[in-house]
Amino acid sequence: MSAAGGESLAAIFRRLIASTGPISLMHYMGEANARYYASRDPLGSAGDFVTAPEISQMFGELIGLWLADMWINAGREETVHYVELGPGRGTLARDALRAAKRYGLEPSIHLVEASTALRDVQLATVPGAQWHHDLSTIPAYGPVLVVANEFLDALPVRQLVKTPDGWRERMVVPDGDRFVCVAGPQPMDPAVPESRRDAPEGTIYELCPGAAATVYEVAGRLKEQGGAALFIDYGHDVPGDGSTLQAVRAHLKVDPFVNPGEADLTAHVDFAALAPIAQSRGVRWIGTAPQGRWLRELGIEARAAALAQAAPEHAAALHAAKDRLIGEGQMGLLFKVMGLAAPNWPGGAGFVG
Ligand code: SAH
């Protein structure tokens, strides 16, 4: 039985695999996360993991200022939309929109959220928002200001493995109390870029079709309607091999192949693969910067000092939160910020050198 009652996803997978054969890892991860997010609010110290907007209001505020700066420099179009993908508790949207409002930016608010449990939380945090299942129903006129923090990492990855017989899809089967990966029967060589095909046996090639499709679609909107986008996530900006799939529950890393649907499954975002996808649609890739450097460029240190001066009793906590967001051994280096803008939109703060 799962925590929410009803049949566990592990039991459903076992039955499915027994009747129709192994399922792909992508299917496994997609269903596990759909179940996981639908049934709970996983964020915060009482949940499974903590994200940047939940660490400090400074994170969302600086994003709001970045968006306002872009919008002002682009000519302050009146019809403009804030679009957030996977808004969690709505904390980032609330902080960003409050900061943006001080500069005259008051966009219509569109939240793309699959989880009904989290929608209920967002309803209270972000009054006046409209909800969407995906990007297709976002208004088609007026610039879009798109934000996605720790959204792409939750989308299911596909993994291909090099076997003595060539590349195969990684499939999932039960093994005692847990699940394991095995190589599928179909040849998958054409799905691996030619430059990587000669890799040694056992090499895993991971890709995220959902992340690619999301960036493709957002870039299309930027090109057509104007606007800018920030994708923030943990990941790499140089291509790499190997599985980055991991599971987190109650702030601890756990086995992704035990109790699917009961832990948050994520994979590193391959930013190196995403920038060219955006560029292929004629959109400007402003850069992919480490989160720590980007937040420092936007003035997080001055903001922390100002907040600490206004509330000295919170000074220690404010500085600790800032260090968590920008510290090299914390979120500062592993997390990246990728900025995109419509071709005729201006610069973009924070993306130096
Ligand atoms: N951005 C928030 C939450 C990150 S958790 C923060 O930084 O705190 C991931 C978010 O993406 C959750 O809101 C989850 O419900 C949502 N999500 C995951 N997969 C999704 C999908 N396929 N479609 C829409 N939302 C999804």
Side-chain angles (χ1 to χ4, degrees), residues 3-37:
E7 192 176 22
S8 74
L9 188 59
I12 294 172
F13 278 157
R14 280 171 194 281
R15 197 152 33 81
L16 178 71
I17 294 166
S19 69
T20 61
I23 56 173
S24 68
L25 178 72
M26 190 158 104
H27 179 164
Y28 177 90
M29 181 175 175
E31 295 242 1
N33 271 356
R35 163 78 70 116
Y36 175 76
Y37 281 107

Side-chain angles (χ1 to χ4, degrees), residues 30 33-34 36-38 40 42-43 49-54 59 84-92 112-116 118-119 122 132-134 147-156 232 264:
N33 271 356
Y36 175 76
Y37 281 107
R40 75 200 80 210
L43 292 151
F49 57 93
V50 178
T51 56
E54 303 295 333
F59 185 77
E84 189 174 334
L85 312 180
R89 287 182 172 169
T91 310
L92 196 168
V112 178
E113 178 57 72
S115 157
T116 43
L118 285 171
R119 266 187 204 209
Q122 293 153 16
H132 303 263
H133 288 290
D134 54 49
V147 178
N149 185 60
E150 292 211 47
F151 170 73
L152 298 177
D153 69 352
L155 302 181
I232 306 155
D264 180 42

